Amino acid sequence: MTKAVTLLDLFELKKQGEPITMLTAYDATFAKLISEQGIEVILVGDSLGMVMQGLTSTVPVTMEDMVYHISCVARGNRGAFIIGDMPYMSYASETDLLHNAARLMQAGANMVKVEGGAWLCDGIKQLSERGIPVCAHLGLTPQSVDALGGFRVQGRDKASAEKMLQEAQQLQDAGASLLVLECVPADLADEITQLLRIPTIGIGAGNRTNGQVLVMQDMLGLNSEFNPKFVKNFMAEPNVQNVAEAFKAYRDAVKSRQFPAAEHSFK
Ligand code: KIV
């Protein structure tokens, strides 16, 4: 990438109707490869608990883990916008939120991501007033997997869909600048995207959000035991010979809205 991607560029992509591309990365080598393929955003997700540490959920991931991996990604990055996940319970109180968000920004993140709804509004306001951009995350929020009863699609009934619409609006009004929607019916994700001024990024949320994100190991087909509906293996695409080409194929497929297709989306 010739010029570093900024938050304003992401808003401009939404305005122009051009999908935003995002992948997770956790180290310098992959951060370099991903950013060199023109993927605009790298998410240092707490999914690292599963794909790097071999855990069964993101719950045990710590602030030290996140600071370490964000700093590795920042060193390899060539101009992508970096989002750092705030790990489990690191933002349960406002004091912890401010202190821990600052640590992630100092490690090299350009924005922090928090999972949850209306209860986060006061904290998001505090962060955005202090110049720390926030990405909110609704739908399947993996840090609450035990409360949700497992990794399942969210917002399928009228009441939970209404609640998600309302909370999306409240998070934006509190100062969130981006919203990840995970495992949400495509029509609901579309409705939220139309409602909001800020860009939405989907994972298992259909192809009418303003952008897409996947966990890098998933889209490289590295775990044959993990095949959720919303993942596509880009290493298996014709003409893809190596990892860099798989990243480019993902970018092209998202930009042309060929990915995700109906078969990767939920009703
Ligand atoms: O941790 C992560 O990688 C995420 C994405 C799946 C959105 O939150």
Side-chain angles (χ1 to χ4, degrees):
M1 232 167 289
T2 45
K3 178 181 149 296
V5 176
T6 67
L7 191 51
L8 291 183
D9 296 325
L10 304 182
F11 274 78
E12 186 59 26
L13 289 172
K14 171 162 175 136
K15 195 167 144 207
Q16 300 299 330
E18 181 180 328
I20 297 165
T21 54
M22 184 189 299
L23 281 176
T24 67
Y26 316 95
D27 71 11
T29 302
F30 282 108
K32 180 167 182 289
L33 278 175
I34 288 171
S35 51
E36 283 174 349
Q37 293 309 314
I39 308 269
E40 286 102 2
V41 187
I42 293 178
L43 170 64
V44 188
D46 60 355
S47 51
L48 69 85
M50 287 141 120
V51 296
M52 303 293 290
Q53 298 174 332
L55 299 165
T56 54
S57 84
T58 58
V59 169
V61 175
T62 64
M63 272 302 296
E64 285 62 40
D65 296 332
M66 294 310 306
V67 166
Y68 172 73
H69 286 282
I70 289 169
S71 62
C72 295
V73 164
R75 284 193 286 270
N77 181 32
R78 298 294 182 266
F81 187 80
I82 299 176
I83 303 179
D85 251 346
M86 302 218 42
Y88 184 69
M89 286 294 139
S90 66
Y91 50 104
S93 74
E94 270 174 34
T95 319
D96 284 350
L97 171 70
L98 294 179
H99 173 74
N100 288 324
R103 284 185 70 197
L104 298 194
M105 298 297 283
Q106 287 177 329
N110 302 115
M111 170 180 256
V112 298
K113 178 161 82 60
V114 285
E115 296 182 6
W119 70 273
L120 283 165
C121 286
D122 288 344
I124 290 177
K125 185 164 181 288
Q126 302 256 355
L127 287 177
S128 57
E129 282 172 355
R130 285 159 180 76
I132 298 186
V134 183
C135 176
H137 183 158
L138 287 174
L140 170 54
T141 45
Q143 290 172 15
S144 310
V145 62
D146 294 308
L148 296 175
F151 294 95
R152 349 153 47 102
V153 179
Q154 301 295 310
R156 273 189 157 147
D157 60 88
K158 196 162 182 288
S160 61
E162 275 301 319
K163 183 167 181 245
M164 208 183 298
L165 273 158
Q166 253 177 36
E167 291 196 312
Q169 181 73 60
Q170 288 166 335
L171 292 164
Q172 170 181 282
D173 293 347
S177 304
L178 217 59
L179 173 65
V180 166
L181 292 170
E182 179 165 356
C183 292
V184 172
D187 285 346
L188 175 58
D190 184 28
E191 217 180 317
I192 294 172
T193 301
Q194 304 288 336
L195 176 74
L196 299 186
R197 177 182 49 78
I198 62 174
T200 60
I201 308 291
I203 171 164
N207 74 355
R208 284 168 280 156
T209 50
N210 302 123
Q212 299 294 329
V213 59
L214 282 179
V215 170
M216 181 252 293
Q217 282 82 347
D218 296 345
M219 55 77 70
L220 294 178
L222 295 180
N223 183 358
S224 58
E225 288 159 27
F226 185 67
N227 290 304
K229 183 180 167 80
F230 57 83
V231 169
K232 174 171 174 171
N233 176 2
F234 284 86
M235 280 302 277
E237 285 293 272
N239 305 326
V240 168
Q241 313 268 349
N242 57 44
V243 168
E245 287 176 7
F247 293 149
K248 181 171 185 307
Y250 167 76
R251 183 184 188 278
D252 293 348
V254 171
K255 290 283 180 196
S256 62
R257 294 201 190 271
Q258 282 169 355
F259 178 80
E263 78 226 48
H264 307 113
S265 307
F266 300 104
K267 288 202 168 116

